[in-house]
Amino acid sequence: MAFDPQREDYQRLGLRFARSLSHKDAAQATREFTTFGRRFAQDRDSLPQSDSDRAFHLVVLASKRIDYELPFVDEQRARQIIEDGHRILDEAISLDPYCYDAIRMKSAATNPSFDAFLTFLNERSDEVRDHCEEQRKAIPADEPSERAHLMADIAMRPYLRWVATQAEEALICGRNREALRLAYKALELDPSDMADVRFTAALAYAKLEDESGLQELIALRKMAKRARPSDDAWTLLALMALAFKRHDMEGAGAYLDAILESYPHAAEALIRQNELPEGVFARLAVAPYSEDEIILALSEATVLLQEGIDLQGRGVLSTWLMQEAARKRPQAMLSVLAQQANESQSGR
């Protein structure tokens, strides 16, 4: 359900193109709409679009570079990507001063600390909400219902992303109750949870050692339309952390087994515990139960894993998780050791 910037770009222009055909008869409109996909991919400038559409497309380009390329390049290439990303975001804001996705993304890079970024988000949250609601209310009353529904949904998405980012930053800053308040605010706005804020809420409940609250969240999600089962890595890691904190090692081991069952390629990720940078557009759109998803969940669960530093300089839960994953999947441990040896040799 995560926000996919490229898909949203397609939806925005698709809606505008469909509206441009409204005055034509049905047969002609159908014929012309069949060309939309090709023109979007090959001749985007030929399609009707506003400055806000062009600005959002620049946000998509910046997101592709910063969120999906930057984590996997060397230092020299990284500097170039960051410079390009900032330049693209500045251009988006110059086209549309109300492009709040670009404003938020640029602020994430320029604020000196997580606390400063959270303060910025909190100070401008009402402004973003008011603008998005104005866009939603401006939808013509005679718009076909299905199209109007999608237009209203898209109009509110920048605010949903804003609130979801507030919740994530509150969690990072240790403001767990604030993270929960913001997560439930986003869930109230969008019960389908396209922003995946339930994952942030699960980690916040674990930080607060509130298992009843986490179970209530799980029950709430079961009632949602098209709900995903609560066997995602965030929820299982939160439940595992709670069991670990109360010294229920059998229960913690059972949740680890559930992670290994839900994520066939999880063992190496659990042993290595590499971190991915936080997505600046939104939580990265990755395939459910993929290796990318478990790595992303582990990155966000660092707030749990790094509690109580042990003699090795790792969090107590982090060390236990690495050791247990290695014990349960010894072949994965051998694979990680071989990878580390190769990386060490190539780094000489």
Side-chain angles (χ1 to χ4, degrees), residues 240 243 248-258 320 324 328:
M240 184 185 72
D248 176 9
M249 307 317 293
E250 183 178 350
Y255 288 121
L256 173 54
D257 289 337
W320 176 87
E324 282 297 292
K328 291 173 181 288

Side-chain angles (χ1 to χ4, degrees), residues 86-147:
H86 290 180
R87 175 182 52 77
I88 292 169
L89 291 173
D90 284 337
E91 186 179 348
I93 295 168
S94 69
L95 273 173
D96 177 11
Y98 301 105
C99 185
Y100 288 107
D101 286 310
I103 292 168
R104 175 177 51 81
M105 292 164 69
K106 184 68 185 293
S107 180
T110 55
N111 268 291
S113 67
F114 291 117
D115 283 301
F117 183 39
L118 179 59
T119 298
F120 168 83
L121 293 170
N122 290 343
E123 288 176 348
R124 298 194 64 176
S125 180
D126 290 347
E127 171 192 336
V128 181
R129 179 201 61 208
D130 291 346
H131 176 76
C132 290
E133 287 184 346
E134 285 176 9
Q135 299 301 302
R136 179 175 57 82
K137 291 175 181 177
I139 297 169
D142 59 352
E143 200 71 50
S145 60
E146 185 174 343
R147 199 156 74 196

